Amino acid sequence: MNENEMLFSSGVLTGERKGAVSPPESLWNDKKGGLVVVECPQRIPCNPCNTSCPVGAIKTFADINDTPEIDYSKCTGCAICAAVCPGLACFVIDLSFSPDKALYKLPYEMLPVPSKGDSVDCLGRTGEVLAKGTVEAVTEPKRDRTHVVHVSAPKELARDIRAIRVVK
Amino acid sequence: MMKETTTDILVIGGGAAGLSAAAEASSSGAKVTVVESDLHLGGQLVKQTHKFFGSKDEYAGTRGYKIADILLDEIKQNEKNVDVMTNTTITGYYIEDGMFTAMRGEESYIRIKPKKTIVATGAQERLIPFPNNDIPGVYGAGAVQTLMNVYGVTPGHRVLMIGAGNIGLIVSYQLMQAGVEVAAVVEAMPKVGGYWVHAAKIRRMGVPILLRHSIKEALGDRVIDGAVIMELDDKFAPTGAERKIDCDVICLAVGLTPTTEILSQAGCDMRYVPQLCGFVALRDRTMRTSNPDFWSAGDATGIEEASAAMVEGRIAGLCAARSLGLPVKSDRFDEYWSRLDHLRAGEVGEKIRAGVAKVMRDRWED
Ligand SMILES: Cc1cc2nc3c(=O)[nH]c(=O)nc-3n(C[C@H](O)[C@H](O)[C@H](O)COP(=O)(O)OP(=O)(O)OC[C@H]3O[C@@H](n4cnc5c(N)ncnc54)[C@H](O)[C@@H]3O)c2cc1C
Ligand code: SF4
Ligand code: SF4
């Protein structure tokens, strides 16, 4: 097994795969509110991303084990899927946020819950600190203690930032 | 004299499977008694603070302990038909007179003689041997979960997790949620056994998952203060590469095995099926065992998931009620089976499908 496959087998996405693709740049760049990024490359019996999306942007699964497929033209960036997905595998990234920053809407289930204005560490897929981000909003779409933290951070990290850590 | 009671259907175990069986059977009008060892109902569910997978029918996206509440609410609707005994353990079955003995609390013993029985006793944790595994600080994952999620106590400060199946991955995540550091997860296989998304969750929080690694020994004098882990080659033999990990807790999440003593006592035909993780009862599609008065469901029939356990429980509850001559909605049987087939359709269901194929009987010769 090569290094990349080994890393993937331990839970780190290494390049795009079925169920884990980035939105097409042409739609993504100017999309107000952002687009969903799903990283769910394994066939598992699960579909709340589809059943929770209010606009049908995550296509209906023919088989509950299918990996998610997305109709980006419908996605509003509402991040409801991010709050519902039990795998914390749905993120929304808004590249239209500012000239140099993107708004990352990331699911968050740790303590403490940050507040607007806080500076947080933005983490990559192995927990490495990639940048500092600023919390722009914190929502709890389903009132079930999964928060979605909206963080502004450098745009060029859109393919890498996937979590935050609150530093006290 | 020892108190003796009777009931239409005795459900042993009040977890996902048992509660579903009780809900289903009581809604058909059967008098059901649920016996549960623990102080409260819910089984594994009450310890699961994370959101479940599966489909909407099995409450996907809902946290485990909330699912237990949903099932309990359903049972309340037929309250008059359901008798619940918590803090009560079934200790034996006497096949000669169809009698169960049970211990209630510490002192009192009772006898129960049901018409039909559904065994939903769940599973037990496996352990692996290594030097010093008797030093305080070595826990099973179930104990860690009970401490944290039922009693609100953290087991320590820094944990080494052994096993990257779903339990190891989820308990690691829950430890981090409780503010406990996870030093690493070690896994002998070349791939995480649990869902990839659960692994990704803890990886992005900075936890290393060391594949092809295992624990060599625990370190410490009176309590654990570290562990030596070792690398394995593709034949699971140590390569010689070793490393010390600082930790005060070693948590074992190396698998579960079905709890089936009662089924053996009832003379049910049992078979060892590796894919189902131990000895399990042969069964037909109604979840009936070779003993015509015994059904089984959930992890006791093979280690799977709460989603499948709930559907199996419903099938067992429905069919046990039907065997009493009660009017049941028969179309539900096919609906439940189609749900089970869906849940087992994927890559991860392959193992279960192979295991179930070995124990499924078309019909019992009466
Ligand atoms: C960490 C972890 C995470 C999990 N995550 C998921 C998930 O995301 N999705 C999912 O679908 N599943 C998940 N599961 C699996 C799920 O919890 C189990 O498959 C499910 O709870 C099995 O239900 P059950 O009713 O068969 O067994 P249990 O829930 O174990 O219930 C069995 C009950 O029987 C009782 N009992 C046993 N023997 C006796 C006796 N002699 N007398 C009286 N009572 C007795 C026990 O006390 C117990 O309460 C997870 C499990 C764990 C440990
Ligand atoms: S962000 Fe909103 S619209 Fe887009 S896929 Fe998720 S739930 Fe659907
Ligand atoms: S809800 Fe999340 S884990 Fe489940 S299929 Fe959708 S993206 Fe994957």
Side-chain angles (χ1 to χ4, degrees):
Chain A
M1 209 182 326
N2 70 35
E3 200 113 321
N4 254 358
E5 267 317 287
M6 196 81 172
L7 197 56
F8 176 74
S9 301
S10 79
V12 180
L13 195 66
T14 50
E16 300 206 339
R17 325 197 157 218
K18 198 165 185 299
V21 291
S22 298
E25 299 270 342
S26 53
L27 286 176
W28 201 7
N29 281 335
D30 313 307
K31 180 71 198 330
K32 291 261 169 301
L35 287 177
V36 71
V37 176
V38 181
E39 298 191 352
C40 186
Q42 181 187 35
R43 288 174 56 78
I44 51 174
C46 182
N47 68 4
C49 51
N50 159 254
T51 53
S52 71
C53 175
V55 297
I58 300 191
K59 295 183 199 166
T60 301
F61 294 21
D63 169 347
I64 188 172
N65 291 279
D66 287 347
T67 52
E69 270 182 60
I70 295 128
D71 180 349
Y72 294 103
S73 68
K74 290 188 180 156
C75 176
T76 61
C78 69
I80 288 182
C81 55
V84 172
C85 166
L88 303 196
C90 299
F91 316 88
V92 171
I93 300 172
D94 181 358
L95 298 176
S96 76
F97 181 72
S98 87
D100 58 334
K101 299 243 157 91
L103 188 68
Y104 297 81
K105 304 180 190 174
L106 307 171
Y108 182 78
E109 297 187 321
M110 295 287 154
L111 290 171
V113 178
S115 318
K116 189 171 183 291
D118 285 358
S119 170
V120 295
D121 283 345
C122 296
L123 310 179
R125 295 189 183 82
T126 53
E128 73 281 23
V129 179
L130 296 172
K132 284 277 179 197
T134 306
V135 176
E136 304 290 344
V138 178
T139 64
E140 193 185 350
K142 290 283 162 184
R143 303 260 143 250
D144 67 350
R145 302 171 79 177
T146 297
H147 292 89
V148 178
V149 179
H150 299 213
V151 185
S152 59
K155 199 182 270 194
E156 64 274 14
L157 294 169
R159 288 171 196 282
D160 302 309
I161 291 176
R162 292 296 177 267
I164 56 154
R165 179 179 295 128
V166 176
V167 274
K168 286 148 274 180
Chain B
M1 239 212 48
M2 200 190 279
K3 195 176 150 231
E4 187 175 317
T5 64
T6 85
T7 183
D8 285 345
I9 300 178
L10 172 67
V11 175
I12 308 176
L19 290 178
S20 302
E24 190 74 28
S26 63
S27 76
S28 311
K31 296 277 181 212
V32 179
T33 301
V34 181
V35 174
E36 167 57 54
S37 305
D38 218 323
L39 298 178
H40 41 245
L41 295 172
Q44 289 291 330
L45 286 175
V46 299
K47 301 192 232 168
Q48 309 312 333
T49 52
H50 64 288
K51 293 178 182 172
F52 271 36
F53 289 80
S55 79
K56 241 184 171 166
D57 288 332
E58 287 83 38
Y59 319 110
T62 306
R63 298 187 193 285
Y65 67 95
K66 296 256 181 201
I67 299 177
D69 291 343
I70 295 172
L71 292 173
L72 292 173
D73 278 346
E74 192 185 334
I75 287 176
K76 276 220 185 80
Q77 290 170 15
N78 289 296
E79 216 163 9
K80 61 177 194 329
N81 287 340
V82 187
D83 186 18
V84 173
M85 297 187 206
T86 51
N87 197 14
T88 306
T89 302
I90 296 288
T91 51
Y93 177 66
Y94 296 85
I95 202 164
E96 313 76 58
D97 48 5
M99 185 72 76
F100 287 93
T101 53
M103 187 169 96
R104 194 159 201 184
E106 307 274 300
E107 305 288 332
S108 97
Y109 290 87
I110 50 175
R111 298 200 288 177
I112 307 173
K113 188 165 181 168
K115 292 184 184 142
K116 309 286 169 191
T117 300
I118 299 174
V119 178
T121 43
Q124 280 154 305
E125 276 183 288
R126 287 197 193 150
L127 299 173
I128 49 169
F130 51 87
N132 292 335
N133 74 353
D134 58 342
I135 299 177
V138 180
Y139 289 83
V144 166
Q145 273 203 316
T146 305
L147 273 179
M148 285 198 303
N149 300 346
V150 181
Y151 298 109
V153 178
T154 57
H157 301 289
R158 197 172 142 89
V159 175
L160 173 66
M161 182 67 66
I162 315 295
N166 272 329
I167 295 183
L169 297 173
I170 290 169
V171 173
S172 295
Y173 186 70
Q174 294 177 349
L175 281 161
M176 286 188 274
Q177 287 181 307
V180 179
E181 200 185 332
V182 178
V185 180
V186 297
E187 167 61 54
M189 302 302 284
K191 181 177 167 198
V192 297
Y195 291 162
W196 185 90
V197 286
H198 283 317
K201 252 191 235 184
I202 63 169
R203 291 294 266 138
R204 70 173 86 98
M205 300 305 295
V207 176
I209 297 181
L210 306 172
L211 301 173
R212 290 199 187 290
H213 275 77
S214 188
I215 181 164
K216 184 176 179 221
E217 60 177 329
L219 303 174
D221 180 13
R222 288 176 48 236
V223 292
I224 295 292
D225 60 22
V228 179
I229 60 167
M230 57 185 177
E231 192 187 45
L232 304 175
D233 65 16
D234 49 14
K235 299 202 172 57
F236 301 99
T239 62
E242 292 180 3
R243 157 146 65 118
K244 186 181 172 242
I245 303 272
D246 287 325
C247 58
D248 60 354
V249 172
I250 297 171
C251 181
L252 298 178
V254 291
L256 301 170
T257 190
T259 306
T260 56
E261 290 86 349
I262 294 165
L263 293 165
S264 299
Q265 288 181 2
C268 303
D269 283 344
M270 307 292 290
R271 172 162 308 173
Y272 183 82
V273 182
Q275 292 95 334
L276 301 177
C277 306
F279 278 96
V280 295
L282 304 186
R283 71 209 64 160
D284 64 11
R285 280 172 70 84
T286 73
M287 298 309 293
R288 205 185 80 182
T289 67
S290 65
N291 180 328
D293 293 327
F294 276 72
W295 284 255
S296 190
D299 281 354
T301 63
I303 306 304
E304 200 174 347
E305 296 253 286
S307 43
M310 288 187 278
V311 187
E312 284 187 346
R314 292 202 178 264
I315 293 172
L318 183 86
C319 296
R322 185 169 60 189
S323 76
L324 289 166
L326 292 164
V328 298
K329 297 199 187 77
S330 304
D331 50 335
R332 289 206 193 156
F333 182 76
D334 294 327
E335 183 204 320
Y336 292 150
W337 265 102
S338 87
R339 276 203 229 162
L340 261 188
D341 289 338
H342 276 292
L343 289 169
R344 291 171 177 166
E347 191 181 300
V348 268
E350 210 176 288
K351 198 175 100 180
I352 300 291
R353 292 199 302 275
V356 169
K358 291 187 182 169
V359 289
M360 192 55 75
R361 293 293 172 267
D362 280 345
R363 57 181 302 251
W364 300 105
E365 288 87 48
D366 291 300

